[in-house]
Amino acid sequence: GMGNQALVRAAMDETFPAIGRATALTLLAPPYSDLETGAIAAALDDSDPLMRTAAVRALQLASAETRLHMSANTLDDPVLSVRLAAARVYADLRDLLPASQARAFGQAAEEYRAANTMLANTPEALASLGNFEITMGDTNLAVGYFEKAMQLEPGNAFLRHSMGLVLVRAGQRDEALIQLREAYELEPSNPRYVYVYGVALNSLGLNDEALTLLQEARQQFPKDFDIGWAVATMLRDAGDYEKARSVAKELNEQFPGDANITALRESLIQN
């Protein structure tokens, strides 16, 4: 968008101090245009490691195709902070890297683990390790890290929420619900937590409970698309087409021209 163009100019402006240029890069919002991808590519070749680290972090949000296309040299960069950022960016794509880069990834992954393990007395570092191990496919190890993090900070809603998501992936559904509910109860002002908890309830067959919860959340967060969408689809699935239509109509007024809502309303006309 327009904001991104100004950020790209700032990121490319050699007269700017590196910290300002690096910050501009980290503020880019995906999906990236060719212009933005070009700015990231240029920063990957910058002599300042601050710029290279920021560029790799910006890649975190890029498509798999873009990330693979730009993977060269980031994993065996001479500067540790660049390699650590690259380990995170390529964890889910490690099987698609060419041989030389796959080797570099293996080493960077070990460095990432070592760096965070040294800091493993902070919830943030433990959560980073947890998220890294999920991406690497080891959910049990991830669960262990989140458990440690939560022992350090039991009142942290974000950690509970993350833990809940990990447990869902590990197939520990009942335990997951407990954590997702804790997150929502610790921070009821966060619409994301109540939404994910509601969706989890619904996916476990607790449909009435899910619908009651999310209908209340809809009153509390009337502008939240995801909550409104979940309520409308759950009402439809419960056979309450009239209520579903009225929520879909509200959503359509709030978010005009949204293709998902159009499709939802069309599916409700048949009933």
Side-chain angles (χ1 to χ4, degrees):
M2 281 310 294
N4 272 358
Q5 279 177 355
L7 289 170
V8 167
R9 277 203 303 279
M12 304 284 283
D13 186 346
E14 295 286 335
T15 63
F16 254 47
I19 184 90
R21 294 168 59 211
T23 304
L25 269 184
T26 56
L27 292 172
L28 290 177
Y32 297 139
S33 67
D34 292 347
L35 180 74
E36 288 145 31
T37 309
I40 293 169
L44 287 172
D45 281 336
D46 199 287
S47 61
D48 192 313
L50 199 63
M51 286 300 286
R52 299 201 301 277
T53 305
V56 175
R57 288 195 179 138
L59 279 180
Q60 185 92 48
L61 301 166
S63 67
E65 194 183 2
T66 301
R67 284 184 289 150
L68 285 169
H69 182 61
M70 293 196 185
S71 63
N73 307 333
T74 55
L75 287 159
D76 51 12
D77 192 280
V79 175
L80 179 64
S81 66
V82 181
R83 298 197 299 274
L84 297 181
R88 279 187 58 189
V89 169
Y90 291 103
D92 62 327
L93 301 173
R94 62 191 181 284
D95 298 337
L96 302 173
L97 293 168
S100 61
Q101 289 171 32
R103 273 196 302 279
F105 173 79
Q107 288 172 330
E110 285 313 306
E111 290 180 308
Y112 184 88
R113 287 173 170 141
N116 280 287
T117 306
M118 261 172 44
L119 306 165
N121 52 358
T122 73
E124 295 74 21
L126 287 160
S128 292
L129 281 165
N131 286 321
F132 187 69
E133 295 305 346
I134 295 168
T135 317
M136 293 293 282
D138 195 331
T139 32
N140 291 334
L141 197 50
V143 167
Y145 283 127
F146 277 107
E147 278 171 349
K148 275 192 196 152
M150 277 176 10
Q151 282 161 8
L152 292 173
E153 216 173 301
N156 184 320
F158 173 72
L159 283 178
R160 297 254 173 198
H161 177 74
S162 305
M163 174 75 168
L165 296 176
V166 178
L167 288 163
V168 169
R169 291 176 85 154
Q172 300 176 32
R173 295 295 193 63
D174 296 342
E175 190 55 40
L177 275 185
I178 294 169
Q179 299 301 338
L180 291 173
R181 188 170 104 203
E182 278 288 320
Y184 149 63
E185 286 175 351
L186 282 165
E187 210 172 295
S189 61
N190 187 326
R192 194 80 211 149
Y193 297 163
V194 67
Y195 165 73
V196 172
Y197 175 49
V199 169
L201 283 170
N202 188 62
S203 70
L204 293 176
L206 301 165
N207 310 52
D208 297 348
E209 218 176 314
L211 193 49
T212 305
L213 177 83
L214 288 173
Q215 280 178 308
E216 283 172 17
R218 171 99 178 123
Q219 303 302 311
Q220 195 186 345
F221 305 106
K223 293 190 174 71
D224 190 281
F225 177 91
D226 290 334
I227 291 172
W229 172 260
V231 167
T233 50
M234 284 177 196
L235 284 166
R236 179 193 65 190
D237 296 346
D240 197 338
Y241 300 114
E242 198 176 328
K243 268 194 193 152
R245 273 195 287 270
S246 99
V247 176
K249 184 170 181 284
E250 283 171 19
L251 283 171
N252 191 49
E253 284 158 13
Q254 284 177 291
F255 305 94
D258 185 287
N260 290 318
I261 296 167
T262 309
L264 175 67
R265 295 188 81 195
E266 280 167 7
S267 80
L268 286 165
I269 291 165
Q270 275 97 53
N271 297 293

